Amino acid sequence: MNVLGLSAFFHESACCLLRDGRLVAAAEEERFSRVKHDPRLPAAAFRWCLKQGGIGLLDLDAVAFYESPVAKVSRQLWAGAPADLLDPERPERALREGLGWEGPILTFRHHLSHAASAFFFSGFPEAAVLTVDGVGEWDTTTYGRAEGTAIDLFASVAFPHSLGLLYSTLTSYLGFAVNDGEYKVMGLAPYGEPRYLEEMRRLVMSRPGGQFRLDLRYFDFIRGRRMYSDALADLFGQPPRPRESEITGFHRDVARSLQAVLEEILLEKARWLHERTGLPDLCMAGGVALNCVANGRILREGPFRRLFVQPAAGDSGGCLGAAALAHAQLTGERPGGALPHVYLGPSWREEDIAGLLDAAGLPALDFRHREADLLAAVVDRLAAGKVVGWFHGPLELGPRALGGRSLLADPRDPAMRDRLNRLVKKREAFRPFAPSVLAGHAAGHFALDHPSPFMLETCRVTSTLDLPAVTHVDGSARPQTVDPAVAPRFAALLEAFRRRTGCPLLVNTSFNVRGEPIVASPVDALLCLGATEIDALVLEDFVIDREMLPANWADLVPAWRERSRSGFAQGRSAVSEDLYTFV
Ligand SMILES: [Fe+2]
């Protein structure tokens, strides 16, 4: 039974392949197209899933789509969307014409897909389910219970009342891009004080049960051209922050107040969901479930014993849920199983990388069949304060780099955070980096008593080591625990670094520059090396130091940037940075 799951035409599009209920392949289209948050038909990801599965189009039993086009159009109609968008047949037509698929297409509700993407891959026999996002069709939040193949979403909050849209609105007011800058607001929050709680509680009011309401006088996203109304700026007493302008104490305080109110409501609703279901475990998905600070509080202060957040909790991960629901419908069996990792994307063979380096005339140190020497060479560079691009195995699904396409550095170096921000990531200086830590050593450095393989919750840093590069201003971190059974080479690298330095963790940030998707292929990685000041690149068994690059290497970089810009313009035409896109 081969089921192809598909998310598309809204935010990040993606594809996955389930074979007999097991996840064989999954990837976001942006990693192939190099257009960040690419919402178009994921043709490249689709072709890659078939290739990875070793099958052709005719071997598929069904294609599962992650939302109901008809229900979505009814909301668009209500919200006064332009007539040319009101086309419930668009997804099916695109699948037929764009992918040549003539077999059955099963569609599932957006939040049911989110819920299924979390529950079926949680490994929990039964669980409470909470989905929270901007909007999907009409729902913005759903509450449910799940057992076996059944997911019952028994309560929901309807558009326009949305915690995701509240967060996106304040993100826009604070001068960051909608659907992209929300995690920057979360990172900014601990620098501020919650001085605007009263104002924030006027924007969003909790109601009994699972309900909450936005005061729509402060919002303009339904029919307007921006997220917030003038009344919102009046309420806070300051105009919106222009993009890239100075961040002041006011902005930090608003971010902190927003984060505090979001956490307050999520905790309250999690408690209500626990009361309603009486179940000990919770599964979460939807874009708001990527708020790892809120997740940490739900787990620490909430009533649930265990929490599973689907690592691709945003819309790209909806394809997992749709495929799983289709499998359950077609076979009557429960799909999925506990998700051990998200290394579900394409990988490259050593000989192909060797051929590429050869063809490009790039010198590299060759460590094939000498893993211990390779790791020692990487540790040499990390211990010397260098930033290393680490490319190994399959690409990760979801927004986090987890040791497949990562930039690694020494977390003890007090200058590393600024260096990474300024020279490599080219991003805002306030944002913290996350650590990857050997699973067996996590408890010695963090207030964490369970595995956290996907960087989806924050916790307190308790280490006796000084870890300035990965410790946030409030003393927290967002660790990834690395299990040698799941990521053997990455764990071996951490172990080699530990033996050399006594520190079993590394800075791990995604391998990309600001505004670009995470690198996917060796070519992407090489071009990223050219466009940044990364000191060394590890391409599987090959190591390339910056000093080894030929003099004409820099000539390639402008061409790459040009390509990125055109891709950006092309892909973003449908997705505004100022307004949540409802197309
Ligand atoms: Fe969603």
Short mmCIF file of all heavy atoms in Angstrom, two decimals, residues 25 33 43 56 100 209 225 230 284 315 325-326 583:
data_model
loop_
_atom_site.label_atom_id
_atom_site.label_comp_id
_atom_site.label_asym_id
_atom_site.label_seq_id
_atom_site.Cartn_x
_atom_site.Cartn_y
_atom_site.Cartn_z
N ALA A 25 9.59 8.44 2.98
CA ALA A 25 10.24 9.65 2.49
C ALA A 25 9.35 10.84 2.80
O ALA A 25 8.12 10.72 2.81
CB ALA A 25 10.45 9.56 0.98
N SER A 33 13.31 23.70 -4.59
CA SER A 33 13.13 24.90 -5.43
C SER A 33 14.01 26.05 -4.96
O SER A 33 14.22 27.01 -5.71
CB SER A 33 11.67 25.33 -5.43
OG SER A 33 11.31 25.84 -4.15
N ALA A 43 6.11 19.58 -6.97
CA ALA A 43 6.42 18.60 -8.02
C ALA A 43 7.77 17.92 -7.79
O ALA A 43 7.91 16.71 -7.99
CB ALA A 43 6.38 19.27 -9.39
N GLY A 56 6.90 3.94 -9.44
CA GLY A 56 6.40 4.90 -10.42
C GLY A 56 5.00 5.34 -10.01
O GLY A 56 4.43 4.83 -9.04
N GLY A 100 0.25 14.48 -13.26
CA GLY A 100 -0.19 13.38 -14.13
C GLY A 100 -0.90 12.28 -13.36
O GLY A 100 -1.06 11.16 -13.86
N GLY A 209 -14.38 26.78 28.59
CA GLY A 209 -14.09 25.62 27.75
C GLY A 209 -12.85 25.86 26.91
O GLY A 209 -11.88 26.46 27.37
N ARG A 225 -5.47 45.10 4.22
CA ARG A 225 -4.22 44.90 3.50
C ARG A 225 -3.06 44.71 4.45
O ARG A 225 -1.90 44.73 4.07
CB ARG A 225 -3.94 46.12 2.62
CG ARG A 225 -4.92 46.19 1.49
CD ARG A 225 -4.70 47.43 0.66
NE ARG A 225 -5.28 47.19 -0.65
CZ ARG A 225 -4.63 47.32 -1.78
NH1 ARG A 225 -3.37 47.66 -1.79
NH2 ARG A 225 -5.23 47.09 -2.93
N ASP A 230 -5.47 50.48 12.90
CA ASP A 230 -4.88 51.63 13.58
C ASP A 230 -5.16 51.58 15.08
O ASP A 230 -4.37 52.08 15.88
CB ASP A 230 -5.45 52.94 13.01
CG ASP A 230 -4.97 53.17 11.58
OD1 ASP A 230 -3.93 52.59 11.21
OD2 ASP A 230 -5.65 53.90 10.84
N MET A 284 0.54 17.41 19.87
CA MET A 284 0.28 18.75 19.33
C MET A 284 0.84 18.92 17.93
O MET A 284 1.88 18.37 17.59
CB MET A 284 0.92 19.82 20.23
CG MET A 284 0.19 20.07 21.52
SD MET A 284 1.04 21.31 22.54
CE MET A 284 0.75 22.80 21.59
N ASP A 315 2.38 23.73 8.24
CA ASP A 315 1.57 23.10 7.21
C ASP A 315 2.32 22.05 6.39
O ASP A 315 1.70 21.15 5.82
CB ASP A 315 0.96 24.17 6.29
CG ASP A 315 -0.23 24.83 6.97
OD1 ASP A 315 -0.66 24.33 8.02
OD2 ASP A 315 -0.71 25.84 6.45
N LEU A 325 -4.08 9.23 7.44
CA LEU A 325 -5.54 9.07 7.45
C LEU A 325 -6.01 8.24 6.27
O LEU A 325 -6.90 7.39 6.39
CB LEU A 325 -6.21 10.46 7.41
CG LEU A 325 -6.11 11.27 8.71
CD1 LEU A 325 -6.37 12.75 8.45
CD2 LEU A 325 -7.08 10.73 9.77
N ALA A 326 -5.39 8.46 5.11
CA ALA A 326 -5.76 7.68 3.92
C ALA A 326 -5.43 6.21 4.13
O ALA A 326 -6.23 5.32 3.81
CB ALA A 326 -5.02 8.23 2.70
N VAL A 583 -4.85 32.58 0.48
CA VAL A 583 -5.15 31.92 -0.80
C VAL A 583 -5.09 30.42 -0.64
O VAL A 583 -4.36 29.91 0.20
CB VAL A 583 -4.19 32.35 -1.92
CG1 VAL A 583 -4.42 33.80 -2.22
CG2 VAL A 583 -2.76 32.05 -1.57
#
